Amino acid sequence: MEPFSYHLPADRIAQRPCSPADDAKMLIVNRSSGDISISRFAELPEFLDSGDLLVLNDTRVIPARLFGTLSGRPVEVLLIREETESVWRVLGRPMKQLRRGGEIECGEVLRGRIEADKDDDLRCSFYTIDGSSVTSAIAQVGSMPIPPYIRGGKGDLQDRADYQTIFARDDFAMGVGSVAAPTASLHFTDRLFARCDNRGIQRAFLTLHVGTASFLPVYRPGLNEPQRPGSEWFELPIPSRDAINKTKRAGGRVVAVGTTVARALESVARNPERLHGETDIFITPGFEWRMASNLVTNFHQPGTSHLLLVESLLGRRLLAEVYEAALAEGFRFLSYGDGMVVL
């Protein structure tokens, strides 16, 4: 099934987040009644009950986008995964320039040698010309991998704070982390968490390292079949699993904050003994939700797997009504935009 699509005017794509972040608009969708209302994220606790559980993704976004030159011409690469020490699988552009043996200059110290150049298997081996750590060099010259629809994908110092959740774990090495933010969680502030605490709303954390599934289209040029999102590594800690089970036994709601959390939870629901590893679960209309049928999420690009996931919760008709309402009410879209909660 082709994913739901809609016309998104360029001026509705948020280029910076709200400040404070929980001042973003929030659309509330009742799955049972089909009712739609509008509030702000600061008021989220008013729509939840004591004993409900928010589950959030504490992955850390790494400065994975590198801008440089190859033979004097500008190129860029996006670090996807470190496969061996200092050798990364990457995405790059323009592809016609990124050929085996080419050497990319990234700043004064960092260099990347192209080891493989197939479109779906591009690898770079990085080194420094002064013998310093490759990890520290990437951290210094890399920029936050904001999507191309935000200021052409060129992140700045402000994005280092804006494109990171306030609860992102700080114990990740450069080779472990996300290449896109779990954007639904960007709305959460200390003030919002305090309001949740005051109402008896619990929270738990899991980790899912966001990969290319967050931005690659489901239908790609020259391919007639929908493409499954790539696999992503996740871990559900035992205390979080226990909190989820306790909430469900008590009749509370488990609210997945973001499609990445939903993906991890539904993976565990299908194999309860497997609390970590790679997941390639593809959530589409007709999917049987077992754990995370309440969801906080942003408004997604047309034609993406995230939109299919939300459609599987709402159905095509209600999803269309939701997006039409958000457009009519002046909501800001995509990563730095407003969002909604599905109850």
Side-chain angles (χ1 to χ4, degrees), residues 297-313:
T297 188
N298 277 21
F299 293 94
H300 303 290
Q301 283 183 285
T304 57
S305 62
H306 299 295
L307 204 48
L308 272 176
L309 183 151
V310 180
E311 182 179 344
S312 75
L313 273 178

Side-chain angles (χ1 to χ4, degrees), residues 26-30 34-40 44 47 322 331 339-343:
M26 180 179 69
L27 191 146
I28 304 95
V29 189
N30 186 300
D35 290 343
I36 297 171
S37 58
I38 294 172
S39 185
R40 294 193 178 274
L44 175 63
F47 299 92
V322 164
F331 275 57
M340 64 177 173
V341 57
V342 178
L343 298 173

Side-chain angles (χ1 to χ4, degrees), residues 186-221:
L186 297 179
H187 300 296
F188 284 80
T189 63
D190 290 332
R191 176 180 69 171
L192 178 50
F193 280 142
R195 294 193 68 189
C196 289
D197 292 342
N198 289 337
R199 286 185 59 87
I201 299 161
Q202 307 298 310
R203 59 183 176 271
F205 296 91
L206 59 75
T207 305
L208 183 141
H209 296 323
V210 188
T212 56
S214 65
F215 49 81
L216 292 178
V218 175
Y219 283 82
R220 302 174 198 171

